[in-house]
Amino acid sequence: MADAVPPPGHGLGAFNVIQVEHAEAIAAGAERAGTPVVLQVSENCVAYHGALAPIGQAVLAVARDAAVPVVAHLDHATSPGLVREAVALGFGSVMFDASGLPHDANVAATAEVTARCHADGVWVEAELGEIGGKDGVHAPHARTDPGDAARYVAATGVDALAVAVGTSHAMLTRDTVLDLPLIARLAAAVPVPLVLHGSSGVPDGALTAAVGHGMVKINVATQLNKVYTGAVRARLGADPALVDPRRYIAAGRDAVAAEVARLLGVIRAASSSRVTSSAVTGESSR
């Protein structure tokens, strides 16, 4: 078992996988940066592949072969059945997202899933709030109350909590203004690591500041998709006769690896800042 504990003052980068090339690129970027990383497979990614097993087994294989600690994580799973499937497959970490349910139902469902996962030695992340598509609890106007967050963690037993501090999912621009004082209050009130979703919309300096104020796990998806797609478009544009997918997909993979290494450096740049929450741990395989 390998852990993914960042040193004091550092965050943990968590990047979403769509194809096996993404997993390879993320692991390569983490190796280049010399830091642990999280490979995330979302429920939407599972739907794209038609099942968890094909992409999940590929992610687990990449995690096992990496030269740095790599956590295989199921992201935004709304189905307890999908969580059970990920645990059986060997994922060491899951996010169970019951935030679309009424509060009491969210607490009950999350507590039940967490108890089952803990029995199997699996780490659980959850989210407090209501999600409406991509512009829900992490919309710029939404905020998580520190007292509500602390009570939710106590009632569910989760290992990490995604909170709303000004970000929004699937942003193509990097101009989000984070509520840094709120991050500090949440970090002081909540006894588990805080998770920043929608980090693709956050500029570099604000990501560093978020970690310095107490954010731990930094989730990135859309930014990697932008980099990947841009590199593939450029490669195809440079050679209109190119038809071998290995040659243009490789350009996307290389670009993602470089961006992951760069972003991990941004996240680690908070090492001289005060961090008030504890570190995330997980497993690359069980």
Side-chain angles (χ1 to χ4, degrees):
M1 179 179 75
D3 62 22
V5 181
H10 295 247
L12 177 64
F15 301 93
N16 279 65
V17 170
I18 295 179
Q19 301 168 322
V20 65
E21 287 83 5
H22 289 82
E24 294 167 344
I26 294 163
E31 290 173 345
R32 191 177 305 175
T35 185
V37 76
V38 180
L39 294 178
Q40 302 197 143
V41 178
S42 71
E43 188 172 89
N44 286 339
C45 176
V46 172
Y48 169 74
H49 288 279
L52 173 61
I55 188 65
Q57 288 172 341
V59 164
L60 288 165
V62 170
R64 284 192 298 269
D65 290 343
V68 294
V70 176
V71 178
H73 175 79
L74 178 67
D75 187 39
H76 277 292
T78 60
S79 163
L82 182 59
V83 170
R84 289 193 295 271
E85 186 180 354
V87 171
L89 199 62
F91 278 57
S93 176
V94 303
M95 179 195 178
F96 179 61
D97 184 359
S99 61
L101 299 176
H103 180 75
D104 289 347
N106 177 347
V107 170
T110 303
E112 181 178 357
V113 167
T114 300
R116 290 181 177 177
C117 286
H118 284 177
D120 289 311
V122 173
W123 181 84
V124 181
E125 175 187 333
E127 181 169 5
L128 179 61
E130 181 180 357
I131 292 180
K134 291 292 185 182
D135 188 33
V137 69
H138 295 295
H141 63 274
R143 297 292 186 272
T144 299
D145 177 76
D148 290 344
R151 287 186 288 271
Y152 180 84
V153 169
T156 59
V158 296
D159 303 290
L161 187 68
V163 293
V165 293
T167 57
S168 186
H169 289 106
M171 285 189 65
L172 296 176
T173 58
R174 302 189 70 207
D175 51 9
T176 293
V177 177
L178 294 178
D179 191 335
L180 295 174
L182 176 58
I183 293 174
R185 293 197 300 274
L186 285 162
V190 177
V192 299
L194 301 178
V195 184
L196 185 66
H197 286 225
S199 302
S200 292
V202 181
D204 288 354
L207 283 180
T208 300
V211 175
H213 282 73
M215 200 62 68
V216 178
K217 180 170 174 277
I218 307 298
N219 286 17
V220 179
T222 302
Q223 177 64 14
L224 297 192
N225 294 340
K226 287 167 56 181
V227 168
Y228 181 97
T229 302
V232 170
R233 281 186 175 137
R235 183 70 181 90
L236 290 171
D239 185 358
L242 181 59
V243 296
D244 186 343
R246 291 170 296 185
R247 295 176 61 189
Y248 57 81
I249 288 176
R253 181 175 59 189
D254 292 346
V256 167
E259 181 66 358
V260 166
R262 191 191 71 79
L263 286 170
L264 289 172
V266 168
I267 293 168
R268 289 191 303 166
S271 59
S272 61
S273 301
R274 179 176 59 87
V275 173
T276 54
S277 58
S278 60
V280 175
T281 60
E283 301 176 1
S284 60
S285 61
R286 296 187 298 109

